[in-house]
Amino acid sequence: MKRKKSLFVTALLASSLIFTACASEPDENGGNNNQSPDNNAGNSGESAGGDLRIGVVSDPVSLDPHGANENVSNSINNTIYDGLVYQDENMEIQPALAESLEQIEDTVWEAKIREGVSFHDGSELNAEVVKMSLDRVRDEEVASPVGFLFGMITEVSVVDEYTVHIETEFPFAPLPAHLAHTGGSIVSPELVEASYEALENGENPFSVVNESPAGTGYFQFDEHVSGEYVRLVKNEDYWSEEEAGVNSVTFNVIPEDLTRIGELETGGIHISYPVNPSDVERVENADGTSIQQVSSSRMEYLGFNTEVEPFDDPRVRQALHMAINKEDIVNGVLNYLGTVAHGPLAPDVLGYSEDIDYIEHNLEEARELLAEAGYPDGFEATLLTDDERQRQDIAQLVQHQLSEIGVEVDIDMTEFGTYLERAQQGETEMFLGSWGTVTMDGDYGLYAVFHSDNKGVPGNRSFIENERIDELLDQARQETDPDTRLDLYEEVQNELAEESPYAYLFFPDLNAGVRDEVEGFWQYPSGFYFLRDVTLND
């Protein structure tokens, strides 16, 4: 292992947050069969309003914000629902359904709820409604895949009609960033009640909201044709003066990269996300399109299921990690549009450090470790991946690299929904995955992914269970001293280097293809994007 010597730390989140709403805020081949309704393909001369069309790689897992934690679902749900707060373009916390959020005690946050806000189904917002959603997302019987975000909350209490107290088990500085996550969205109280009725009847508690989602967001649900598109329309009664700039947005499901690019070039869609690195130059050179690019907080990795042989032996995992030439992946597959990952946290995430142990590419040492573990001639294994083109390219390169130490890999490629379900259920040996530290705080990038309490759906898909790692992560999220917290994160990452549940690969640049008539579109480092300010101009 090698140790990088200098330390890079981003600005720390404050241990308390107070804000008040501004005066302006009450304010490759083949055609595409997945066309949205009223799709005026090729019309690049639309004035303000109009139908914004976005090409996405897959159908959303759920239109219930408590029922999914993947990019397509979160990006759509970000437009339908509001939380108490949100993160702006600079990742700073801004007021949404809470006019103010204040840490009034070490373990108590007070939220003043905005008055006069209605849900898309006509229900009214108040403190009790906020409590219903925050209780629901934490309910173990509901089993929300984003419930881990709020595991430190012990009680949500209604003080008066528009005041809520949120109590935590310990002082937890990143709570506002967690509340800004899509998992902190406030759902219509009628739907919350209906979802509990479904649960009592043995049904999926997320099915009711998924079928007729209702939040308070700047877009509201219109239609979902599974596998084809999700269409939202402008919320004409949005509580803020900063309402949506277009009349509707349609998310067209177009799994094939080159088909999405073709639709972007002809005007069939206005935005294509993501754009494969190998297609960036094509989009840049096309007439009327360009690439919007941001550095990401998303870690791409080769994961190992630590509960199955031979991956239950850390020597095997380390050996495979050593066999991966990450530079070749970044240069050859990403066309240099990314950064090699030596640890699980991206450079802009709080907790990132260059002063951590990391595993260096070394084929000779990898072979020695395999022999020591009892596999001098290597072994056969299966690598699970989804059918996205970049993932396929990475899988093939990993397959070649591991063959150099005698590990013969069979690539098991499936569509994204099936891939995700199998990875969450531990039906894997090795798998390619990604995790975006959405909150930009190391707690999200480490606790969710490596704490044994979060095995499976919440994020720990290697099923790693290490008492020391659990202990350090528990200490870090309870620590109030910023320097001590960073030291704990460093120690966690050093322990992870020994365990190697993942071979960290890279932090990709995020590429969106955007037509010239689109203004006001921007991406979060996590890969979500913001649509309220988007306009379509002549």
Side-chain angles (χ1 to χ4, degrees):
M1 295 183 190
K2 296 294 183 182
R3 177 178 283 269
K4 304 188 84 177
K5 291 298 183 183
S6 61
L7 178 68
F8 176 87
V9 179
T10 55
L12 294 172
L13 288 172
S15 60
S16 63
L17 171 72
I18 304 175
F19 62 69
T20 303
C22 300
S24 63
E25 302 188 47
D27 39 325
E28 331 197 293
N29 298 339
N32 173 25
N33 294 320
N34 299 326
Q35 295 292 332
S36 63
D38 302 320
N39 188 350
N40 300 315
N43 180 10
S44 61
E46 297 181 65
S47 59
D51 177 27
L52 175 68
R53 299 181 296 275
I54 301 176
V56 296
V57 299
S58 63
D59 215 35
V61 170
S62 179
L63 296 179
D64 185 331
H66 302 160
N69 193 21
E70 50 85 24
N71 188 75
V72 174
S73 296
N74 286 333
S75 293
I76 296 174
N77 290 335
N78 261 337
T79 71
I80 300 174
Y81 304 91
D82 295 308
L84 297 180
V85 295
Y86 76 100
Q87 288 177 312
D88 66 13
E89 191 171 5
N90 300 312
M91 301 306 293
E92 295 178 354
I93 300 294
Q94 300 293 346
L97 296 183
E99 291 184 322
S100 66
L101 179 64
E102 179 181 356
Q103 189 174 17
I104 58 175
E105 298 178 21
D106 285 347
T107 59
V108 180
W109 296 74
E110 181 176 86
K112 293 290 188 180
I113 308 305
R114 197 178 297 275
E115 299 184 26
V117 176
S118 297
F119 289 86
H120 302 147
D121 61 6
S123 304
E124 296 297 322
L125 176 72
N126 57 34
E128 185 60 42
V129 169
V130 169
K131 173 178 169 58
M132 288 174 67
S133 276
L134 294 183
D135 284 349
R136 176 185 188 241
V137 74
R138 294 160 42 238
D139 190 331
E140 293 183 0
E141 292 189 10
V142 173
S144 168
V146 289
F148 69 91
L149 279 162
F150 310 104
M152 75 296 299
I153 296 176
T154 56
E155 185 176 1
V156 180
S157 56
V158 173
V159 177
D160 58 41
E161 188 174 5
Y162 293 102
T163 305
V164 167
H165 281 179
I166 302 171
E167 298 183 37
T168 59
E169 182 180 355
F170 42 81
F172 187 67
L175 183 64
H178 282 226
L179 291 170
H181 187 279
T182 313
S185 296
I186 308 303
V187 180
S188 159
E190 294 186 9
L191 288 178
V192 171
E193 291 175 353
S195 73
Y196 273 103
E197 291 177 7
L199 183 63
E200 290 175 2
N201 293 328
E203 301 171 12
N204 187 322
F206 308 118
S207 60
V208 174
V209 182
N210 184 55
E211 291 171 2
S212 55
T216 61
Y218 48 91
F219 284 114
Q220 62 189 62
F221 177 73
D222 181 52
E223 184 180 19
H224 179 198
V225 178
S226 181
E228 296 189 21
Y229 62 83
V230 176
R231 186 172 189 271
L232 313 177
V233 296
K234 181 177 180 177
N235 178 7
E236 300 290 352
D237 298 317
Y238 189 49
W239 53 265
S240 172
E241 290 180 354
E242 298 177 353
E243 58 185 16
V246 294
N247 293 331
S248 64
V249 56
T250 302
F251 299 86
N252 284 1
V253 180
I254 311 175
E256 303 81 8
D257 291 340
L258 295 181
T259 305
R260 284 199 312 277
I261 298 302
E263 290 290 315
L264 182 71
E265 291 171 336
T266 61
I269 58 175
H270 299 101
I271 298 169
S272 176
Y273 184 86
V275 172
N276 192 295
S278 61
D279 300 325
V280 166
E281 185 175 359
R282 171 177 167 176
V283 174
E284 287 281 17
N285 292 334
D287 184 31
T289 65
S290 62
I291 288 289
Q292 185 187 102
Q293 187 176 92
V294 297
S295 298
S296 81
S297 64
R298 193 174 80 214
M299 179 252 309
E300 299 276 345
Y301 61 84
L302 171 65
F304 309 115
N305 185 340
T306 63
E307 293 188 335
V308 302
E309 294 182 353
F311 304 101
D312 57 346
D313 189 330
R315 294 170 297 182
V316 171
R317 303 193 297 263
Q318 287 181 24
L320 270 60
H321 197 161
M322 288 178 185
I324 302 298
N325 188 326
K326 303 173 187 181
E327 294 281 358
D328 281 357
I329 295 175
V330 171
N331 299 345
V333 179
L334 273 64
N335 291 337
Y336 301 89
L337 300 177
T339 305
V340 166
H342 293 300
L345 301 179
D348 289 333
V349 173
L350 187 149
Y352 169 82
S353 172
E354 291 186 350
D355 192 21
I356 61 171
D357 295 335
Y358 71 97
I359 290 180
E360 185 179 32
H361 178 56
N362 189 321
L363 291 178
E364 182 177 352
E365 188 173 349
R367 294 187 187 103
E368 291 174 358
L369 274 174
L370 276 187
E372 181 183 320
Y375 301 94
D377 300 320
F379 55 86
E380 296 180 356
T382 300
L383 172 61
L384 176 68
T385 183
D386 65 74
D387 54 3
E388 194 269 327
R389 184 156 56 103
Q390 178 177 293
R391 286 274 177 85
Q392 295 179 48
D393 293 342
I394 295 170
Q396 291 171 5
L397 186 50
V398 167
Q399 180 186 49
H400 169 72
Q401 292 179 349
L402 294 184
S403 71
E404 296 186 84
I405 61 169
V407 177
E408 300 302 322
V409 174
D410 178 50
I411 297 173
D412 182 5
M413 183 185 68
T414 185
E415 58 88 25
F416 180 75
T418 302
Y419 155 83
L420 186 62
E421 182 176 351
R422 288 175 59 185
Q424 291 173 341
Q425 298 301 322
E427 298 172 5
T428 61
E429 291 184 318
M430 298 187 296
F431 58 102
L432 289 174
S434 67
W435 185 265
T437 303
V438 182
T439 63
M440 304 301 287
D441 186 279
D443 181 79
Y444 188 95
L446 296 172
Y447 187 87
V449 185
F450 302 113
H451 197 288
S452 62
D453 283 353
N454 296 319
K455 287 182 178 182
V457 174
N460 180 352
R461 290 163 196 165
S462 70
F463 293 81
I464 186 71
E465 186 167 355
N466 180 294
E467 289 184 7
R468 180 57 179 160
I469 290 174
D470 285 355
E471 178 185 349
L472 290 168
L473 289 171
D474 288 336
Q475 289 177 15
R477 61 180 4 209
Q478 299 178 40
E479 181 57 58
T480 58
D481 179 73
D483 291 334
T484 302
R485 193 165 175 238
L486 291 174
D487 289 342
L488 289 166
Y489 284 151
E490 282 190 8
E491 190 172 350
V492 169
Q493 292 173 83
N494 290 337
E495 290 284 340
L496 287 169
E498 293 289 340
E499 284 282 358
S500 283
Y502 292 166
Y504 318 118
L505 300 180
F506 57 86
F507 304 109
D509 292 340
L510 302 179
N511 307 299
V514 183
R515 289 195 60 82
D516 291 350
E517 58 264 34
V518 175
E519 295 186 4
F521 170 79
W522 50 269
Q523 305 174 70
Y524 290 99
S526 62
F528 306 165
Y529 36 85
F530 193 74
L531 300 179
R532 187 189 66 195
D533 300 335
V534 171
T535 57
L536 297 174
N537 300 317
D538 292 330

